[in-house]
Amino acid sequence: MTEITEDTPEQEANDSVVEAPQADAHHESDAPMYDDMNTPVIALVGFVSAVVTFICIIALQAAYLQFENDQFQKKVVDVKLEVEDSILSAQKAKLNDGYSWVNKETKTIGMPIEQAMKVVADKYESN
């Protein structure tokens, strides 16, 4: 005994309404939820980013210190002192120029340093 019933349009509409939430429920379970965060990946990306940032800061600081040292070397240590060099060369030329009177009354003469060292060495060798 099977009953054969005729479906009315209202019943078909109710049946389709009942099936729709099941289809939506299936799709909702596949969709990511708000609480479904991949925490280990987020932590790894944050840690790697922090390490890369730290390395960049250290590298930039090292480059800056190297540049600063190079500039100090160029501007302070390796400066060519032209005025002082010209004064020194004039004094050396005057000392090595030859014999000249320093004081005629005391009969003091000026002579080149190398010649004066030879004279003094000869004087002490003969004693």
Side-chain angles (χ1 to χ4, degrees):
M1 302 201 166
T2 48
E3 258 182 60
I4 300 177
T5 58
E6 282 187 36
D7 289 335
T8 61
E10 294 173 357
Q11 263 186 333
E12 289 176 11
N14 287 340
D15 290 341
S16 67
V17 170
V18 172
E19 291 177 7
Q22 291 174 354
D24 288 340
H26 179 66
H27 292 293
E28 285 180 14
S29 65
D30 289 343
M33 299 296 288
Y34 178 73
D35 295 336
D36 291 345
M37 288 199 261
N38 197 349
T39 307
V41 172
I42 293 171
L44 179 66
V45 169
F47 178 74
V48 169
S49 298
V51 169
V52 168
T53 303
F54 181 73
I55 290 172
C56 287
I57 289 171
I58 296 299
L60 286 172
Q61 186 175 11
Y64 172 77
L65 291 174
Q66 181 66 35
F67 179 74
E68 181 183 32
N69 192 18
D70 290 345
Q71 290 298 314
F72 179 79
Q73 186 75 22
K74 286 179 186 176
K75 292 180 180 179
V76 176
V77 177
D78 295 339
V79 173
K80 183 81 172 153
L81 303 174
E82 296 174 8
V83 174
E84 288 80 0
D85 287 345
S86 66
I87 292 172
L88 285 175
S89 63
Q91 289 175 347
K92 285 181 183 178
K94 185 176 180 182
L95 289 174
N96 293 326
D97 192 26
Y99 294 96
S100 63
W101 286 105
V102 175
N103 191 348
K104 285 187 179 183
E105 293 175 6
T106 60
K107 297 183 180 179
T108 306
I109 61 169
M111 63 174 53
I113 294 173
E114 292 176 6
Q115 184 66 29
M117 289 189 318
K118 287 179 186 176
V119 169
V120 170
D122 289 342
K123 181 179 178 182
Y124 283 110
E125 281 181 6
S126 64
N127 288 338

